Amino acid sequence: YIRPLSAFPQLFQRIPVCDPTLRFNYFVEHILPRFDTSTYDHTLIYLSSYFDFVRLRNYMRTEKHKQFNYLTLSEYSTKKQVLLARNIFYHREVRFLLMTERFHFYHRYRIKGIRHILFYDLPSYGHFYPEIVHFLTLPHVEEKKKTTLTRAQHSDEPSTCTALYAKEDALKLAYILGQQAVTDLLNSEKNTHMFTNK
């Protein structure tokens, strides 16, 4: 299994639904509003399902929800679209970057400028989790001088990582945290758990 990276405390939040439609409704009603603030500018939303990606993208682009400031990266993005999205996300105040698992699977781009990560659901491949969390160590545009320190070590606003999971995600959790941790999470009365290697 893969332990979470030590430099960034990671919150695992249990949600009460697993059905795709119910999960989406729960996400847009209870999770997304919490992240739609200036505190969470430059948030990567990782989605393992292209279907969920399309549904969330379409939700954000509707007239009713046009206040969302977001960019997208999927397996169907052209090289030009990828270059433009990465450049805009890094250099400007963008609230969300939606990224599919298959985009990461095929390209393995290092996405700079990420301050926060929100896993809509857990990755299908356990080793993708630390690869995505590692994006938090990459530089942000506000760093004017090159340094060996990570952004989190000299940013006033700490980076965050939140992973959503349901009871049905036990196997995916085991690949990331190990079976004992999964047992503790699923049997706990608490819905949120913070992990670090420290």
Side-chain angles (χ1 to χ4, degrees):
Y1 69 92
I2 302 164
R3 296 286 301 186
L5 299 180
S6 60
F8 303 95
Q10 292 133 75
L11 180 70
F12 284 76
Q13 179 175 340
R14 185 171 62 204
I15 59 177
V17 291
C18 185
D19 173 82
T21 298
L22 295 178
R23 188 187 194 106
F24 172 79
N25 292 336
Y26 184 88
F27 182 83
V28 298
E29 291 173 11
H30 300 282
I31 305 298
L32 191 59
R34 194 173 84 214
F35 282 82
D36 190 27
T37 68
S38 59
T39 302
Y40 289 101
D41 282 340
H42 289 263
T43 293
L44 171 70
I45 300 181
Y46 179 97
L47 302 103
S48 65
S49 164
Y50 182 75
F51 175 75
D52 289 329
F53 165 83
V54 170
R55 183 149 53 177
L56 183 57
R57 181 199 63 192
N58 291 346
Y59 173 86
M60 288 183 166
R61 68 163 43 156
T62 60
E63 184 70 19
K64 182 180 178 181
H65 304 104
K66 65 179 181 180
Q67 82 277 8
F68 286 113
N69 182 9
Y70 72 97
L71 298 165
T72 63
L73 292 174
S74 78
E75 56 270 34
Y76 298 108
S77 300
T78 65
K79 289 184 178 181
K80 184 177 181 180
Q81 289 171 333
V82 171
L83 179 63
L84 184 61
R86 293 176 69 195
N87 184 62
I88 293 175
F89 184 74
Y90 180 69
H91 289 286
R92 301 181 189 176
E93 287 301 316
V94 175
R95 184 66 45 82
F96 299 111
L97 176 63
L98 279 57
M99 186 179 78
T100 66
E101 182 168 273
R102 286 171 67 86
F103 175 83
H104 180 66
F105 178 88
Y106 286 121
H107 300 293
R108 291 300 207 281
Y109 284 115
R110 291 160 54 88
I111 310 298
K112 297 179 181 180
I114 295 172
R115 295 187 182 201
H116 309 280
I117 295 175
L118 175 57
F119 286 91
Y120 179 92
D121 51 3
L122 298 177
S124 302
Y125 305 93
H127 62 280
F128 281 5
Y129 179 85
E131 290 178 6
I132 299 300
V133 174
H134 185 70
F135 290 163
L136 292 175
T137 68
L138 301 179
H140 190 272
V141 70
E142 291 181 358
E143 293 183 1
K144 302 301 182 183
K145 297 181 181 180
K146 293 183 178 180
T147 176
T148 56
L149 296 176
T150 64
R151 178 176 54 78
Q153 288 174 298
H154 46 146
S155 173
D156 293 334
E157 292 292 335
S159 295
T160 65
C161 178
T162 302
L164 306 179
Y165 71 94
K167 287 187 176 181
E168 292 79 1
D169 296 321
L171 185 58
K172 289 183 177 182
L173 273 174
Y175 286 138
I176 298 170
L177 298 173
Q179 188 56 54
Q180 182 56 53
V182 172
T183 301
D184 294 341
L185 261 64
L186 296 183
N187 293 331
S188 173
E189 294 182 358
K190 295 169 52 181
N191 289 325
T192 59
H193 298 266
M194 191 72 73
F195 280 83
T196 176
N197 273 346
K198 293 182 179 179

CSV table of all heavy atoms in Angstrom, one decimal, residues 52-105:
chain,number,residue,atom,x,y,z
A,52,ASP,N,-18.5,11.4,-14.7
A,52,ASP,CA,-18.6,12.3,-13.6
A,52,ASP,C,-18.0,13.7,-14.0
A,52,ASP,O,-18.5,14.7,-13.6
A,52,ASP,CB,-18.0,11.8,-12.3
A,52,ASP,CG,-18.8,10.6,-11.7
A,52,ASP,OD1,-20.0,10.6,-11.9
A,52,ASP,OD2,-18.1,9.8,-11.1
A,53,PHE,N,-16.9,13.6,-14.7
A,53,PHE,CA,-16.2,14.8,-15.2
A,53,PHE,C,-17.2,15.6,-16.1
A,53,PHE,O,-17.3,16.9,-15.9
A,53,PHE,CB,-15.0,14.4,-16.0
A,53,PHE,CG,-14.4,15.5,-16.8
A,53,PHE,CD1,-13.6,16.5,-16.3
A,53,PHE,CD2,-14.7,15.6,-18.2
A,53,PHE,CE1,-13.0,17.5,-17.0
A,53,PHE,CE2,-14.2,16.6,-19.0
A,53,PHE,CZ,-13.3,17.6,-18.4
A,54,VAL,N,-17.8,15.0,-17.0
A,54,VAL,CA,-18.8,15.7,-17.9
A,54,VAL,C,-20.0,16.3,-17.1
A,54,VAL,O,-20.4,17.4,-17.4
A,54,VAL,CB,-19.3,14.7,-19.0
A,54,VAL,CG1,-20.4,15.4,-19.8
A,54,VAL,CG2,-18.1,14.3,-19.9
A,55,ARG,N,-20.5,15.5,-16.2
A,55,ARG,CA,-21.6,16.0,-15.4
A,55,ARG,C,-21.2,17.2,-14.6
A,55,ARG,O,-22.0,18.2,-14.6
A,55,ARG,CB,-22.1,14.8,-14.5
A,55,ARG,CG,-23.4,15.2,-13.8
A,55,ARG,CD,-24.3,14.1,-13.5
A,55,ARG,NE,-23.6,13.0,-12.8
A,55,ARG,CZ,-24.3,11.9,-12.4
A,55,ARG,NH1,-25.6,11.8,-12.6
A,55,ARG,NH2,-23.6,10.9,-11.9
A,56,LEU,N,-20.1,17.2,-14.0
A,56,LEU,CA,-19.6,18.3,-13.2
A,56,LEU,C,-19.3,19.5,-14.0
A,56,LEU,O,-19.7,20.7,-13.7
A,56,LEU,CB,-18.4,17.9,-12.3
A,56,LEU,CG,-17.9,19.0,-11.3
A,56,LEU,CD1,-19.0,19.5,-10.4
A,56,LEU,CD2,-16.7,18.5,-10.6
A,57,ARG,N,-18.6,19.3,-15.2
A,57,ARG,CA,-18.3,20.4,-16.1
A,57,ARG,C,-19.6,21.0,-16.6
A,57,ARG,O,-19.7,22.3,-16.6
A,57,ARG,CB,-17.5,19.8,-17.3
A,57,ARG,CG,-17.1,20.9,-18.3
A,57,ARG,CD,-16.8,20.2,-19.6
A,57,ARG,NE,-17.9,19.5,-20.2
A,57,ARG,CZ,-17.8,18.7,-21.2
A,57,ARG,NH1,-16.6,18.4,-21.8
A,57,ARG,NH2,-18.9,18.1,-21.7
A,58,ASN,N,-20.6,20.2,-17.0
A,58,ASN,CA,-21.8,20.8,-17.5
A,58,ASN,C,-22.6,21.5,-16.4
A,58,ASN,O,-23.2,22.5,-16.7
A,58,ASN,CB,-22.7,19.6,-18.1
A,58,ASN,CG,-22.1,19.0,-19.3
A,58,ASN,OD1,-21.2,19.6,-19.9
A,58,ASN,ND2,-22.7,17.9,-19.7
A,59,TYR,N,-22.5,21.1,-15.2
A,59,TYR,CA,-23.1,21.8,-14.1
A,59,TYR,C,-22.5,23.1,-13.9
A,59,TYR,O,-23.2,24.1,-13.7
A,59,TYR,CB,-23.0,20.9,-12.8
A,59,TYR,CG,-23.5,21.6,-11.5
A,59,TYR,CD1,-24.8,21.5,-11.2
A,59,TYR,CD2,-22.6,22.3,-10.7
A,59,TYR,CE1,-25.2,22.1,-10.0
A,59,TYR,CE2,-23.0,22.9,-9.6
A,59,TYR,CZ,-24.3,22.8,-9.2
A,59,TYR,OH,-24.7,23.4,-8.0
A,60,MET,N,-21.2,23.2,-14.0
A,60,MET,CA,-20.5,24.5,-13.8
A,60,MET,C,-20.7,25.5,-14.9
A,60,MET,O,-20.6,26.7,-14.7
A,60,MET,CB,-19.0,24.2,-13.6
A,60,MET,CG,-18.6,23.6,-12.3
A,60,MET,SD,-16.8,23.4,-12.1
A,60,MET,CE,-16.7,23.1,-10.4
A,61,ARG,N,-21.0,25.0,-16.1
A,61,ARG,CA,-21.1,25.9,-17.3
A,61,ARG,C,-22.5,26.4,-17.5
A,61,ARG,O,-22.7,27.2,-18.4
A,61,ARG,CB,-20.5,25.2,-18.5
A,61,ARG,CG,-21.4,24.0,-19.0
A,61,ARG,CD,-21.1,23.6,-20.5
A,61,ARG,NE,-19.7,23.5,-20.8
A,61,ARG,CZ,-19.2,22.8,-21.8
A,61,ARG,NH1,-20.0,22.0,-22.5
A,61,ARG,NH2,-17.9,22.8,-22.1
A,62,THR,N,-23.5,25.9,-16.8
A,62,THR,CA,-24.8,26.3,-17.0
A,62,THR,C,-25.0,27.8,-16.6
A,62,THR,O,-24.3,28.3,-15.8
A,62,THR,CB,-25.9,25.5,-16.2
A,62,THR,OG1,-25.6,25.5,-14.8
A,62,THR,CG2,-25.8,24.0,-16.7
A,63,GLU,N,-26.0,28.4,-17.2
A,63,GLU,CA,-26.3,29.8,-16.8
A,63,GLU,C,-26.5,30.0,-15.3
A,63,GLU,O,-26.1,31.0,-14.7
A,63,GLU,CB,-27.5,30.3,-17.6
A,63,GLU,CG,-27.8,31.8,-17.4
A,63,GLU,CD,-26.8,32.7,-18.1
A,63,GLU,OE1,-26.1,32.2,-19.0
A,63,GLU,OE2,-26.8,33.9,-17.7
A,64,LYS,N,-27.2,29.0,-14.7
A,64,LYS,CA,-27.5,29.1,-13.3
A,64,LYS,C,-26.2,29.1,-12.4
A,64,LYS,O,-26.2,29.7,-11.4
A,64,LYS,CB,-28.4,28.0,-12.9
A,64,LYS,CG,-28.8,28.0,-11.5
A,64,LYS,CD,-29.7,26.8,-11.2
A,64,LYS,CE,-30.1,26.7,-9.7
A,64,LYS,NZ,-31.0,25.6,-9.4
A,65,HIS,N,-25.2,28.5,-12.9
A,65,HIS,CA,-24.0,28.3,-12.1
A,65,HIS,C,-22.8,29.0,-12.8
A,65,HIS,O,-21.6,28.5,-12.7
A,65,HIS,CB,-23.7,26.9,-11.8
A,65,HIS,CG,-24.8,26.2,-11.1
A,65,HIS,ND1,-25.7,25.3,-11.8
A,65,HIS,CD2,-25.3,26.2,-9.9
A,65,HIS,CE1,-26.6,24.9,-11.0
A,65,HIS,NE2,-26.4,25.4,-9.8
A,66,LYS,N,-23.0,30.0,-13.6
A,66,LYS,CA,-21.9,30.6,-14.4
A,66,LYS,C,-20.9,31.3,-13.6
A,66,LYS,O,-19.9,31.8,-14.1
A,66,LYS,CB,-22.5,31.5,-15.5
A,66,LYS,CG,-23.2,32.7,-14.9
A,66,LYS,CD,-23.7,33.6,-16.1
A,66,LYS,CE,-24.3,34.9,-15.6
A,66,LYS,NZ,-24.8,35.7,-16.7
A,67,GLN,N,-21.1,31.4,-12.3
A,67,GLN,CA,-20.2,32.1,-11.4
A,67,GLN,C,-18.9,31.2,-11.2
A,67,GLN,O,-17.9,31.7,-10.8
A,67,GLN,CB,-20.8,32.4,-10.0
A,67,GLN,CG,-20.7,31.2,-9.0
A,67,GLN,CD,-21.9,30.3,-9.2
A,67,GLN,OE1,-22.7,30.4,-10.2
A,67,GLN,NE2,-22.1,29.4,-8.3
A,68,PHE,N,-19.0,30.0,-11.6
A,68,PHE,CA,-17.8,29.1,-11.4
A,68,PHE,C,-16.7,29.5,-12.3
A,68,PHE,O,-16.9,29.6,-13.5
A,68,PHE,CB,-18.2,27.6,-11.6
A,68,PHE,CG,-19.0,27.0,-10.4
A,68,PHE,CD1,-20.3,26.7,-10.6
A,68,PHE,CD2,-18.4,26.9,-9.2
A,68,PHE,CE1,-21.0,26.1,-9.6
A,68,PHE,CE2,-19.1,26.4,-8.1
A,68,PHE,CZ,-20.4,26.0,-8.4
A,69,ASN,N,-15.5,29.6,-11.8
A,69,ASN,CA,-14.3,30.0,-12.6
A,69,ASN,C,-13.5,28.7,-12.6
A,69,ASN,O,-12.8,28.3,-11.6
A,69,ASN,CB,-13.6,31.1,-11.8
A,69,ASN,CG,-12.3,31.6,-12.6
A,69,ASN,OD1,-12.1,31.2,-13.7
A,69,ASN,ND2,-11.5,32.4,-12.0
A,70,TYR,N,-13.5,28.1,-13.8
A,70,TYR,CA,-12.8,26.7,-13.9
A,70,TYR,C,-12.2,26.5,-15.3
A,70,TYR,O,-12.5,27.2,-16.2
A,70,TYR,CB,-13.8,25.6,-13.6
A,70,TYR,CG,-14.9,25.5,-14.7
A,70,TYR,CD1,-14.7,24.5,-15.7
A,70,TYR,CD2,-16.0,26.3,-14.8
A,70,TYR,CE1,-15.6,24.3,-16.7
A,70,TYR,CE2,-16.9,26.1,-15.8
A,70,TYR,CZ,-16.7,25.1,-16.8
A,70,TYR,OH,-17.6,24.9,-17.8
A,71,LEU,N,-11.3,25.5,-15.3
A,71,LEU,CA,-10.7,25.0,-16.5
A,71,LEU,C,-10.8,23.5,-16.5
A,71,LEU,O,-11.0,22.9,-15.4
A,71,LEU,CB,-9.2,25.5,-16.6
A,71,LEU,CG,-9.0,27.0,-16.7
A,71,LEU,CD1,-7.5,27.3,-16.4
A,71,LEU,CD2,-9.3,27.5,-18.0
A,72,THR,N,-10.6,22.9,-17.6
A,72,THR,CA,-10.7,21.4,-17.7
A,72,THR,C,-9.5,20.8,-18.4
A,72,THR,O,-8.9,21.4,-19.3
A,72,THR,CB,-12.0,21.0,-18.4
A,72,THR,OG1,-12.0,21.4,-19.7
A,72,THR,CG2,-13.2,21.5,-17.7
A,73,LEU,N,-9.2,19.6,-18.0
A,73,LEU,CA,-8.2,18.7,-18.7
A,73,LEU,C,-8.7,17.3,-18.7
A,73,LEU,O,-9.0,16.7,-17.7
A,73,LEU,CB,-6.8,18.7,-17.9
A,73,LEU,CG,-6.0,20.0,-17.9
A,73,LEU,CD1,-4.8,19.9,-17.0
A,73,LEU,CD2,-5.6,20.4,-19.4
A,74,SER,N,-8.9,16.8,-19.9
A,74,SER,CA,-9.4,15.4,-20.1
A,74,SER,C,-8.6,14.7,-21.2
A,74,SER,O,-7.8,15.3,-21.9
A,74,SER,CB,-10.9,15.4,-20.4
A,74,SER,OG,-11.1,15.7,-21.8
A,75,GLU,N,-8.9,13.4,-21.3
A,75,GLU,CA,-8.2,12.6,-22.3
A,75,GLU,C,-8.5,13.1,-23.7
A,75,GLU,O,-7.9,12.8,-24.7
A,75,GLU,CB,-8.5,11.2,-22.2
A,75,GLU,CG,-10.0,10.8,-22.2
A,75,GLU,CD,-10.6,10.9,-20.8
A,75,GLU,OE1,-10.2,11.7,-20.0
A,75,GLU,OE2,-11.6,10.0,-20.6
A,76,TYR,N,-9.6,13.9,-23.9
A,76,TYR,CA,-10.0,14.5,-25.2
A,76,TYR,C,-9.5,15.9,-25.4
A,76,TYR,O,-9.7,16.5,-26.5
A,76,TYR,CB,-11.5,14.4,-25.3
A,76,TYR,CG,-12.0,13.0,-25.3
A,76,TYR,CD1,-12.8,12.6,-24.1
A,76,TYR,CD2,-11.8,12.1,-26.3
A,76,TYR,CE1,-13.2,11.3,-24.0
A,76,TYR,CE2,-12.3,10.8,-26.2
A,76,TYR,CZ,-13.0,10.4,-25.1
A,76,TYR,OH,-13.5,9.1,-25.0
A,77,SER,N,-8.7,16.4,-24.5
A,77,SER,CA,-8.1,17.8,-24.7
A,77,SER,C,-7.0,17.7,-25.7
A,77,SER,O,-6.2,16.8,-25.7
A,77,SER,CB,-7.6,18.3,-23.4
A,77,SER,OG,-8.6,18.4,-22.4
A,78,THR,N,-7.0,18.7,-26.6
A,78,THR,CA,-5.9,18.7,-27.6
A,78,THR,C,-4.7,19.3,-26.9
A,78,THR,O,-4.7,19.9,-25.8
A,78,THR,CB,-6.3,19.7,-28.8
A,78,THR,OG1,-6.4,21.0,-28.3
A,78,THR,CG2,-7.6,19.2,-29.4
A,79,LYS,N,-3.5,19.2,-27.6
A,79,LYS,CA,-2.3,19.7,-27.0
A,79,LYS,C,-2.4,21.2,-26.8
A,79,LYS,O,-1.9,21.7,-25.8
A,79,LYS,CB,-1.1,19.3,-28.0
A,79,LYS,CG,-0.7,17.9,-28.0
A,79,LYS,CD,0.5,17.6,-28.8
A,79,LYS,CE,0.9,16.2,-28.8
A,79,LYS,NZ,2.2,15.9,-29.6
A,80,LYS,N,-3.0,21.9,-27.8
A,80,LYS,CA,-3.2,23.3,-27.6
A,80,LYS,C,-4.1,23.7,-26.4
A,80,LYS,O,-3.8,24.6,-25.7
A,80,LYS,CB,-3.8,23.9,-28.9
A,80,LYS,CG,-3.9,25.4,-28.9
A,80,LYS,CD,-4.5,25.9,-30.3
A,80,LYS,CE,-4.6,27.4,-30.3
A,80,LYS,NZ,-5.2,27.9,-31.6
A,81,GLN,N,-5.1,22.9,-26.2
A,81,GLN,CA,-6.0,23.1,-25.1
A,81,GLN,C,-5.3,22.9,-23.8
A,81,GLN,O,-5.5,23.6,-22.8
A,81,GLN,CB,-7.3,22.3,-25.2
A,81,GLN,CG,-8.2,22.7,-26.3
A,81,GLN,CD,-9.3,21.7,-26.6
A,81,GLN,OE1,-9.1,20.5,-26.3
A,81,GLN,NE2,-10.5,22.1,-27.1
A,82,VAL,N,-4.5,21.8,-23.8
A,82,VAL,CA,-3.7,21.5,-22.5
A,82,VAL,C,-2.7,22.6,-22.2
A,82,VAL,O,-2.6,23.0,-21.1
A,82,VAL,CB,-3.0,20.2,-22.7
A,82,VAL,CG1,-2.0,19.9,-21.5
A,82,VAL,CG2,-4.0,19.0,-22.8
A,83,LEU,N,-2.0,23.0,-23.2
A,83,LEU,CA,-1.0,24.1,-23.0
A,83,LEU,C,-1.7,25.4,-22.5
A,83,LEU,O,-1.2,26.0,-21.5
A,83,LEU,CB,-0.3,24.4,-24.3
A,83,LEU,CG,0.8,25.5,-24.3
A,83,LEU,CD1,1.9,25.1,-23.3
A,83,LEU,CD2,1.3,25.8,-25.7
A,84,LEU,N,-2.8,25.7,-23.1
A,84,LEU,CA,-3.5,27.0,-22.7
A,84,LEU,C,-4.1,26.8,-21.3
A,84,LEU,O,-3.9,27.8,-20.5
A,84,LEU,CB,-4.7,27.2,-23.7
A,84,LEU,CG,-5.4,28.5,-23.5
A,84,LEU,CD1,-4.5,29.7,-23.6
A,84,LEU,CD2,-6.6,28.6,-24.5
A,85,ALA,N,-4.7,25.7,-21.0
A,85,ALA,CA,-5.3,25.5,-19.6
A,85,ALA,C,-4.2,25.5,-18.6
A,85,ALA,O,-4.4,26.2,-17.5
A,85,ALA,CB,-6.0,24.2,-19.6
A,86,ARG,N,-3.1,24.9,-18.8
A,86,ARG,CA,-2.0,24.9,-17.8
A,86,ARG,C,-1.4,26.2,-17.6
A,86,ARG,O,-1.1,26.6,-16.5
A,86,ARG,CB,-0.9,23.9,-18.2
A,86,ARG,CG,-1.3,22.4,-18.2
A,86,ARG,CD,-0.2,21.5,-18.8
A,86,ARG,NE,0.9,21.5,-17.8
A,86,ARG,CZ,2.1,21.0,-18.2
A,86,ARG,NH1,2.3,20.6,-19.4
A,86,ARG,NH2,3.1,21.0,-17.3
A,87,ASN,N,-1.3,27.0,-18.7
A,87,ASN,CA,-0.7,28.3,-18.6
A,87,ASN,C,-1.6,29.3,-17.8
A,87,ASN,O,-1.2,30.0,-17.0
A,87,ASN,CB,-0.4,28.9,-20.0
A,87,ASN,CG,0.2,30.2,-20.0
A,87,ASN,OD1,1.3,30.4,-19.5
A,87,ASN,ND2,-0.4,31.2,-20.5
A,88,ILE,N,-2.9,29.2,-18.2
A,88,ILE,CA,-3.9,30.1,-17.5
A,88,ILE,C,-4.0,29.7,-16.0
A,88,ILE,O,-4.0,30.6,-15.2
A,88,ILE,CB,-5.3,30.0,-18.2
A,88,ILE,CG1,-5.2,30.6,-19.6
A,88,ILE,CG2,-6.3,30.7,-17.4
A,88,ILE,CD1,-6.5,30.4,-20.4
A,89,PHE,N,-4.1,28.5,-15.7
A,89,PHE,CA,-4.2,28.0,-14.4
A,89,PHE,C,-3.0,28.5,-13.5
A,89,PHE,O,-3.2,28.9,-12.4
A,89,PHE,CB,-4.4,26.5,-14.3
A,89,PHE,CG,-4.6,26.0,-12.9
A,89,PHE,CD1,-5.9,26.1,-12.3
A,89,PHE,CD2,-3.6,25.3,-12.2
A,89,PHE,CE1,-6.1,25.6,-11.1
A,89,PHE,CE2,-3.9,24.8,-10.9
A,89,PHE,CZ,-5.1,25.0,-10.4
A,90,TYR,N,-1.8,28.4,-14.1
A,90,TYR,CA,-0.6,28.8,-13.3
A,90,TYR,C,-0.5,30.3,-13.1
A,90,TYR,O,-0.2,30.7,-12.0
A,90,TYR,CB,0.6,28.3,-14.1
A,90,TYR,CG,1.9,28.6,-13.3
A,90,TYR,CD1,2.2,28.0,-12.1
A,90,TYR,CD2,2.8,29.5,-13.9
A,90,TYR,CE1,3.4,28.3,-11.5
A,90,TYR,CE2,4.0,29.8,-13.2
A,90,TYR,CZ,4.3,29.2,-12.0
A,90,TYR,OH,5.4,29.5,-11.3
A,91,HIS,N,-0.9,31.1,-14.1
A,91,HIS,CA,-0.6,32.5,-14.0
A,91,HIS,C,-1.8,33.4,-13.6
A,91,HIS,O,-1.6,34.5,-13.3
A,91,HIS,CB,-0.2,33.0,-15.4
A,91,HIS,CG,1.2,32.5,-15.8
A,91,HIS,ND1,2.3,33.1,-15.2
A,91,HIS,CD2,1.6,31.6,-16.7
A,91,HIS,CE1,3.4,32.5,-15.7
A,91,HIS,NE2,3.0,31.6,-16.6
A,92,ARG,N,-3.0,32.8,-13.5
A,92,ARG,CA,-4.1,33.6,-13.1
A,92,ARG,C,-4.9,33.0,-12.0
A,92,ARG,O,-4.7,31.8,-11.6
A,92,ARG,CB,-5.1,33.8,-14.3
A,92,ARG,CG,-4.5,34.4,-15.5
A,92,ARG,CD,-5.5,34.5,-16.7
A,92,ARG,NE,-4.8,35.0,-17.9
A,92,ARG,CZ,-5.5,35.1,-19.1
A,92,ARG,NH1,-6.8,34.9,-19.1
A,92,ARG,NH2,-4.8,35.5,-20.2
A,93,GLU,N,-5.8,33.8,-11.4
A,93,GLU,CA,-6.6,33.3,-10.3
A,93,GLU,C,-7.7,32.5,-10.8
A,93,GLU,O,-8.7,33.1,-11.3
A,93,GLU,CB,-7.1,34.5,-9.4
A,93,GLU,CG,-6.0,35.1,-8.5
A,93,GLU,CD,-5.4,34.1,-7.6
A,93,GLU,OE1,-6.2,33.4,-6.9
A,93,GLU,OE2,-4.2,34.1,-7.4
A,94,VAL,N,-7.6,31.2,-10.8
A,94,VAL,CA,-8.6,30.3,-11.3
A,94,VAL,C,-9.1,29.5,-10.1
A,94,VAL,O,-8.2,28.9,-9.4
A,94,VAL,CB,-8.1,29.4,-12.5
A,94,VAL,CG1,-9.2,28.4,-12.9
A,94,VAL,CG2,-7.7,30.3,-13.6
A,95,ARG,N,-10.4,29.3,-9.9
A,95,ARG,CA,-10.9,28.6,-8.8
A,95,ARG,C,-10.6,27.1,-8.9
A,95,ARG,O,-10.1,26.5,-8.0
A,95,ARG,CB,-12.4,28.9,-8.6
A,95,ARG,CG,-13.0,28.3,-7.3
A,95,ARG,CD,-12.5,28.9,-6.0
A,95,ARG,NE,-12.4,30.4,-6.0
A,95,ARG,CZ,-13.4,31.2,-5.8
A,95,ARG,NH1,-14.6,30.8,-5.6
A,95,ARG,NH2,-13.2,32.5,-5.8
A,96,PHE,N,-11.0,26.5,-10.0
A,96,PHE,CA,-11.0,25.1,-10.1
A,96,PHE,C,-10.3,24.6,-11.4
A,96,PHE,O,-10.5,25.3,-12.5
A,96,PHE,CB,-12.4,24.5,-10.1
A,96,PHE,CG,-13.2,24.8,-8.9
A,96,PHE,CD1,-14.3,25.6,-8.9
A,96,PHE,CD2,-12.8,24.2,-7.7
A,96,PHE,CE1,-15.0,25.9,-7.7
A,96,PHE,CE2,-13.5,24.4,-6.5
A,96,PHE,CZ,-14.6,25.3,-6.5
A,97,LEU,N,-9.6,23.5,-11.4
A,97,LEU,CA,-9.2,22.8,-12.5
A,97,LEU,C,-9.7,21.4,-12.4
A,97,LEU,O,-9.3,20.6,-11.5
A,97,LEU,CB,-7.6,22.8,-12.6
A,97,LEU,CG,-7.0,22.0,-13.7
A,97,LEU,CD1,-7.4,22.5,-15.1
A,97,LEU,CD2,-5.5,21.9,-13.6
A,98,LEU,N,-10.6,21.0,-13.4
A,98,LEU,CA,-11.2,19.7,-13.4
A,98,LEU,C,-10.3,18.8,-14.2
A,98,LEU,O,-10.0,19.1,-15.4
A,98,LEU,CB,-12.6,19.7,-14.0
A,98,LEU,CG,-13.7,20.1,-13.1
A,98,LEU,CD1,-13.5,21.5,-12.5
A,98,LEU,CD2,-15.1,20.0,-13.8
A,99,MET,N,-9.9,17.6,-13.7
A,99,MET,CA,-9.0,16.7,-14.4
A,99,MET,C,-9.4,15.3,-14.3
A,99,MET,O,-9.8,14.8,-13.2
A,99,MET,CB,-7.5,16.9,-13.9
A,99,MET,CG,-6.5,16.1,-14.7
A,99,MET,SD,-4.8,16.2,-14.1
A,99,MET,CE,-4.9,15.1,-12.7
A,100,THR,N,-9.4,14.6,-15.4
A,100,THR,CA,-9.9,13.2,-15.4
A,100,THR,C,-8.7,12.3,-15.1
A,100,THR,O,-7.5,12.6,-15.4
A,100,THR,CB,-10.5,12.8,-16.7
A,100,THR,OG1,-9.5,12.8,-17.8
A,100,THR,CG2,-11.6,13.7,-17.1
A,101,GLU,N,-9.0,11.1,-14.6
A,101,GLU,CA,-8.0,10.1,-14.3
A,101,GLU,C,-7.3,9.6,-15.6
A,101,GLU,O,-6.1,9.4,-15.6
A,101,GLU,CB,-8.6,8.9,-13.6
A,101,GLU,CG,-7.6,7.8,-13.2
A,101,GLU,CD,-8.2,6.8,-12.3
A,101,GLU,OE1,-8.2,7.1,-11.1
A,101,GLU,OE2,-8.8,5.8,-12.8
A,102,ARG,N,-8.0,9.5,-16.7
A,102,ARG,CA,-7.4,9.0,-17.9
A,102,ARG,C,-6.5,10.1,-18.5
A,102,ARG,O,-5.5,9.7,-19.2
A,102,ARG,CB,-8.5,8.6,-18.9
A,102,ARG,CG,-9.2,7.3,-18.6
A,102,ARG,CD,-10.4,7.1,-19.4
A,102,ARG,NE,-10.1,6.9,-20.8
A,102,ARG,CZ,-9.7,5.7,-21.4
A,102,ARG,NH1,-9.7,4.6,-20.6
A,102,ARG,NH2,-9.4,5.6,-22.6
A,103,PHE,N,-6.7,11.4,-18.2
A,103,PHE,CA,-5.8,12.4,-18.7
A,103,PHE,C,-4.4,12.2,-18.0
A,103,PHE,O,-3.4,12.2,-18.6
A,103,PHE,CB,-6.3,13.8,-18.4
A,103,PHE,CG,-5.3,14.9,-18.7
A,103,PHE,CD1,-5.2,15.4,-19.9
A,103,PHE,CD2,-4.5,15.4,-17.7
A,103,PHE,CE1,-4.3,16.4,-20.2
A,103,PHE,CE2,-3.6,16.4,-17.9
A,103,PHE,CZ,-3.5,16.9,-19.2
A,104,HIS,N,-4.5,11.9,-16.7
A,104,HIS,CA,-3.3,11.7,-15.9
A,104,HIS,C,-2.6,10.4,-16.4
A,104,HIS,O,-1.4,10.3,-16.5
A,104,HIS,CB,-3.6,11.6,-14.4
A,104,HIS,CG,-2.4,11.4,-13.6
A,104,HIS,ND1,-1.3,12.3,-13.5
A,104,HIS,CD2,-2.0,10.3,-12.8
A,104,HIS,CE1,-0.4,11.8,-12.7
A,104,HIS,NE2,-0.8,10.6,-12.3
A,105,PHE,N,-3.4,9.4,-16.6
A,105,PHE,CA,-2.9,8.1,-17.1
A,105,PHE,C,-2.1,8.2,-18.4
A,105,PHE,O,-1.0,7.6,-18.5
A,105,PHE,CB,-4.1,7.1,-17.2
A,105,PHE,CG,-3.7,5.7,-17.7
A,105,PHE,CD1,-3.4,4.7,-16.8
A,105,PHE,CD2,-3.7,5.4,-19.1
A,105,PHE,CE1,-3.0,3.5,-17.3
A,105,PHE,CE2,-3.3,4.2,-19.5
A,105,PHE,CZ,-3.0,3.2,-18.6
